[in-house]
Amino acid sequence: MNNSLLYYSVGALLYCPANRKTIVDSIVQQRFGTKYSLALCLEDTIRDDCVAEAEHILANSLHLLAEQTQKSQFYLPKIFVRVRNARQIGRLCKIFGETTRLVMGFILPKFSLENADLYIEEIIRANELHSQPIFTMPIFESPSIIDLRHRTEILYILKEKIDQIEDKILNIRVGGNDLCHAFGYRRHDDESIHQIRPIADIFSDIITVYGRNYIVSGPVWEYYHSSNWERGLYHEIADDKLCGFIGKTVIYPSQIAVVNEAYKVSQRDYKDAAAILNWDKTSHSLVAGSVNGERMNEYKTHSNWALRTLLTAEYFGVKKTQPDNDNSDSIL
């Protein structure tokens, strides 16, 4: 679903261990700002022998958060829970009880042929049992999609499966670090993951299969305190955008503002997109010069781009007007 604002509005998705007891206070005090989503993780960030305790802490956090929503006004992010396996979804909904209403959906790690049917079954069941929609975001990070001999077939089979619940798939997410791990790769803060060709090729295939129907979000950027982390993140997001990604997984609060700024739409693109979608229906021509006269706008060719651009602008905003001699699409 890539024609509705809802699917663009996950934005910067901040990962946090689900057993972080201070998370409610951070949300209420708006320490992370007022434009982000939150992933509470029960998978990689939690030790295997601490899962039950983490589930209990998470349930208590949701209960406390529900209480706080009755006492004061604050920005409540879209909240997602990253589970370990499919069966955990139903169990968590029972544990959460009425506070399930605070959970936008579940993140499905290492989504693959081995677990897809069970994951989808649990999401369908959760939606049958709750009045509000329960969304989901599968993560494509399983080593099974590395093998070139089978990748295309696997991706298309998985698409056929998730198409059953297309309106409940907020985003497709990609596990950049997991895929790099399979090869023993790690980028530095002056390098974009899109420079690592084996990983970039996997991303390209995912975008090719899913990008026409779903929003695909960019991989995590792991730097947050090096001398070049901010510039590096801006550059990787520029590559993300060019390759078809929208949104970004973040692991540190300071990354949120960078993502929100980097995804703002330039004045040039916003004006051209608006002109294309408001094309004069009485005109005998479907092609015209752009608003500032520097490129060609063609209704039949650019209408999908224009819709995507305006929806991105509606969530992330439009950049302030740049000087005439400046490139409004430039980064740091």
Side-chain angles (χ1 to χ4, degrees):
M1 300 291 288
N2 58 11
N3 60 355
S4 169
L5 180 63
L6 175 64
Y7 301 90
Y8 288 71
S9 65
V10 177
L13 179 67
L14 177 64
Y15 261 67
C16 174
N19 60 357
R20 184 71 55 82
K21 293 182 179 180
T22 59
I23 189 63
V24 173
D25 188 57
S26 294
I27 294 172
V28 174
Q29 299 300 320
Q30 298 188 165
R31 294 196 179 102
F32 306 140
T34 58
K35 200 168 201 177
Y36 70 98
S37 298
L38 181 64
L40 298 172
C41 181
L42 287 166
E43 199 217 8
D44 290 344
T45 61
I46 305 296
R47 270 176 29 192
D48 293 346
D49 59 346
C50 295
V51 176
E53 178 188 15
E55 289 179 349
H56 174 75
I57 293 172
L58 173 56
N60 187 59
S61 293
L62 292 175
H63 176 74
L64 293 174
L65 190 59
E67 288 184 340
Q68 289 297 322
T69 62
Q70 302 301 314
K71 296 178 181 179
S72 60
Q73 290 187 337
F74 53 89
Y75 174 75
L76 185 64
K78 293 179 176 66
I79 295 175
F80 302 89
V81 176
R82 174 168 165 148
V83 296
R84 288 184 157 233
N85 54 64
R87 293 305 184 199
Q88 196 175 28
I89 295 172
R91 185 170 74 251
L92 288 173
C93 287
K94 290 179 181 178
I95 294 172
F96 297 161
E98 190 271 337
T99 61
T100 301
R101 64 182 173 81
L102 297 179
V103 177
M104 187 81 173
F106 294 92
I107 298 172
L108 315 179
K110 299 171 179 63
F111 192 74
S112 65
L113 292 179
E114 288 70 34
N115 56 34
D117 289 334
L118 203 51
Y119 270 136
I120 292 169
E121 176 185 315
E122 290 294 330
I123 293 299
I124 291 174
R125 181 177 292 114
N127 276 280
E128 290 172 346
L129 296 175
H130 295 86
S131 56
Q132 87 281 5
I134 303 291
F135 292 96
T136 188
M137 296 192 289
I139 308 178
F140 287 77
E141 58 187 349
S142 169
S144 63
I145 60 174
I146 292 176
D147 192 328
L148 281 170
R149 295 169 298 179
H150 309 294
R151 182 190 303 160
T152 302
E153 180 182 11
I154 289 172
L155 290 175
Y156 276 107
I157 291 174
L158 289 174
K159 184 178 184 298
E160 290 175 0
K161 292 179 181 296
I162 68 171
D163 282 350
Q164 302 173 58
I165 54 170
E166 181 178 353
D167 63 330
K168 298 299 186 293
I169 305 288
L170 273 191
N171 287 177
I172 301 292
R173 309 197 76 85
V174 295
N177 284 347
D178 281 71
L179 293 171
C180 283
H181 170 68
F183 292 93
Y185 299 155
R186 189 177 195 181
R187 66 197 183 282
H188 295 100
D189 66 1
D190 61 347
E191 298 167 330
S192 165
I193 197 168
H194 299 279
Q195 294 174 260
I196 308 175
R197 286 301 302 272
I199 308 303
D201 287 347
I202 296 172
F203 288 171
S204 178
D205 289 343
I206 292 171
I207 289 286
T208 300
V209 175
Y210 295 91
R212 288 182 296 171
N213 304 98
Y214 298 95
I215 299 301
V216 186
S217 181
V220 67
W221 175 258
E222 59 188 331
Y223 294 93
Y224 57 88
H225 198 57
S226 67
S227 60
N228 196 59
W229 78 265
E230 188 172 358
R231 183 179 180 85
L233 177 53
Y234 270 109
H235 276 285
E236 181 161 291
I237 291 175
D239 286 346
D240 286 347
K241 290 161 62 178
L242 188 62
C243 294
F245 293 97
I246 294 178
K248 194 80 167 167
T249 298
V250 299
I251 56 169
Y252 204 76
S254 59
Q255 295 176 333
I256 295 171
V258 176
V259 173
N260 287 333
E261 180 63 29
Y263 270 97
K264 285 183 179 179
V265 172
S266 70
Q267 289 279 341
R268 175 183 63 179
D269 283 351
Y270 181 79
K271 290 176 181 178
D272 280 357
I276 290 166
L277 292 186
N278 289 285
W279 205 275
D280 182 0
K281 300 298 190 297
T282 65
S283 173
H284 295 292
S285 175
L286 293 177
V287 61
S290 62
V291 173
N292 64 359
E294 69 177 11
R295 58 183 177 180
M296 180 189 74
N297 285 338
E298 188 174 357
Y299 178 78
K300 287 186 176 181
T301 301
H302 297 126
S303 56
N304 286 342
W305 167 85
L307 176 60
R308 185 180 177 95
T309 298
L310 291 187
L311 287 170
T312 302
E314 189 170 351
Y315 179 73
F316 290 102
V318 179
K319 294 178 184 177
K320 294 180 180 179
T321 303
Q322 301 288 331
D324 291 338
N325 62 349
D326 194 13
N327 180 359
S328 62
D329 288 325
S330 68
I331 57 179
L332 290 178

